[in-house]
Amino acid sequence: MQNIVKRFMTLVSVVLGLSFILGAFPASVHAEDLIVVGFSQVGAESDWRTANTKSMQDTFVEANGYRLIFDDAQQKQENQITAIRNFIQQEVDYIVLAPVTETGWDTVLQEAQDAAIPVIIVDRMIDVSDDALFTAWVGSDFKLEGDKAVEWMLETQAEELKIVHLQGTIGSSAQIGRSEGLEEGVEANEGWEIIAQQTGEFTQAKGQEVMESILKQHEEINVVYAENDNMAFGAIDAIEAAGKTVGVDGDIVVISFDATRAGLDATLEGKINYNVECNPLHGVRVDALIQQLEAGEEVDKLAYVEEMTFDATTITQDDIDAREY
């Protein structure tokens, strides 16, 4: 009998000890207290995209009161639609979407709305029949970015421009806005001509491939307008392989977008003449929106981030060292 009592008391001590240990942990580590965020990312096609993903993954961590369910769509909209439906089935608290393209979201976002799950769009904008299908959007004014590049060309370049236009993923907001800015600039300036316009899909490999083909067809190129840094890197490789020079005092002026650290290194080196920032650090901005929503507050429907520009003739190493991505 005494042995049975001893064993019982030992078991009670163990249970009490475990209860004390578990109780010592902060409430934030308990799964039921975490805010669950499902994030569907376009893919990993560029340095910018990698920085954007890292910003989200660094923000939505347990220490900040979150659990993140991350999905890489590999640049396919159908993968994103599947991911959103999976998020709905898992009853996440919020869905964050970096859309591949602007259109084709009405049905799945209606499903999210029916499930009472707020949807926050980041980076690229979407075109839906009813803006109520998403709660808020955080990103860049891509048309303004294009306008900044055009203004710089007006101020610094010759009146006769033969431009190669390397577009991003067709149908994405960045492509639409940056293309619109350039096309309006060309239309307004009689001496400007886009002699070749083709997508490089925001990747270095495709940018190089497209530029190699264009160089074989056109000798008179004096400007490359690449809609992100990675395509600019590919274009530079192709141009130099063809025996031409780029950048400051080069044969061909290179204009780029994103202003990643690697992009700014190339700008400081003088190979990219002008680089327009597109800030990828959306994690903290989305976190702020979620905290407002959790507090029952209204949020702004559209939140544009402030962005800078960098000229090869004025950029400094301090500018690069200050970058978080």
Side-chain angles (χ1 to χ4, degrees):
M1 184 67 177
Q2 287 181 343
N3 287 339
I4 294 173
V5 171
K6 284 181 179 179
R7 289 174 183 173
F8 176 75
M9 293 304 295
T10 300
L11 178 61
V12 170
S13 297
V14 170
V15 170
L16 289 174
L18 287 172
S19 298
F20 174 80
I21 291 170
L22 291 172
F25 283 102
S28 63
V29 304
H30 297 301
E32 63 269 19
D33 295 325
L34 298 176
I35 298 171
V36 182
V37 175
F39 175 42
S40 177
Q41 177 61 284
V42 170
E45 79 282 4
S46 65
D47 294 342
W48 188 98
R49 190 64 55 189
T50 300
N52 184 244
T53 295
K54 185 175 186 301
S55 175
M56 295 295 185
Q57 292 176 330
D58 288 349
T59 300
F60 297 112
V61 294
E62 198 171 86
N64 293 338
Y66 292 101
R67 179 165 71 89
L68 177 66
I69 303 174
F70 175 77
D71 183 84
D72 182 337
Q74 299 179 337
Q75 295 181 285
K76 296 179 180 179
Q77 185 180 38
E78 58 266 30
N79 291 346
Q80 293 199 295
I81 290 172
T82 298
I84 292 170
R85 288 183 171 139
N86 287 337
F87 295 155
I88 295 170
Q89 289 179 353
Q90 294 174 79
E91 299 182 342
V92 302
D93 297 303
Y94 295 89
I95 291 172
V96 179
L97 170 65
V100 174
T101 60
E102 290 196 352
T103 59
W105 302 105
D106 287 68
T107 300
V108 72
L109 293 190
Q110 183 63 59
E111 293 171 19
Q113 187 177 80
D114 292 343
I117 301 175
V119 176
I120 298 172
I121 309 298
V122 296
D123 181 27
R124 302 169 181 176
M125 179 51 82
I126 59 173
D127 182 4
V128 288
S129 59
D130 183 359
D131 284 350
L133 290 175
F134 66 95
T135 302
W137 170 88
V138 174
S140 302
D141 188 335
F142 300 113
K143 172 60 164 55
L144 179 61
E145 291 175 358
D147 291 342
K148 290 177 181 178
V150 167
E151 183 178 355
W152 179 83
M153 285 192 284
L154 279 170
E155 293 176 353
T156 64
Q157 300 305 302
E159 294 183 0
E160 300 291 328
L161 298 182
K162 303 295 183 181
I163 304 166
V164 169
H165 181 194
L166 297 181
Q167 297 175 291
T169 302
I170 300 301
S172 67
S173 297
Q175 177 271 311
I176 292 170
R178 293 167 188 169
S179 292
E180 185 179 349
L182 175 62
E183 288 164 357
E184 287 185 1
V186 170
E187 186 176 350
N189 291 275
E190 188 176 342
W192 294 13
E193 180 186 359
I194 298 175
I195 60 174
Q197 184 180 62
Q198 191 171 336
T199 180
E201 299 173 359
F202 284 132
T203 71
Q204 183 166 341
K206 188 66 174 179
Q208 181 172 351
E209 176 189 326
V210 170
M211 193 68 211
E212 286 172 350
S213 175
I214 292 171
L215 284 164
K216 293 174 183 176
Q217 302 170 51
H218 300 278
E219 287 288 336
E220 68 275 32
I221 303 165
N222 55 17
V223 174
V224 170
Y225 181 101
E227 289 185 353
N228 80 336
D229 285 338
N230 289 82
M231 290 192 299
F233 300 152
I236 290 168
D237 288 343
I239 292 166
E240 291 182 335
K244 295 179 181 291
T245 57
V246 297
V248 178
D249 298 324
D251 301 318
I252 299 175
V253 168
V254 178
I255 297 166
S256 185
F257 296 83
D258 284 357
T260 60
R261 182 179 289 270
L264 292 189
D265 283 338
T267 307
L268 182 64
E269 189 180 353
K271 291 194 173 186
I272 292 176
N273 298 73
Y274 192 67
N275 209 324
V276 181
E277 180 183 36
C278 182
N279 194 321
L281 305 181
H282 295 156
V284 291
R285 295 173 174 85
V286 176
D287 171 42
L289 287 173
I290 289 175
Q291 293 306 316
Q292 285 181 269
L293 293 168
E294 288 290 298
E297 300 173 7
E298 291 188 8
V299 297
D300 291 335
K301 191 72 174 180
L302 304 178
Y304 290 101
V305 298
E306 294 185 6
E307 295 169 335
M308 302 170 62
T309 60
F310 299 90
D311 189 312
T313 62
T314 57
I315 190 173
T316 67
Q317 185 62 49
D318 287 342
D319 292 325
I320 300 173
D321 292 341
R323 307 303 281 172
E324 294 183 52
Y325 57 94

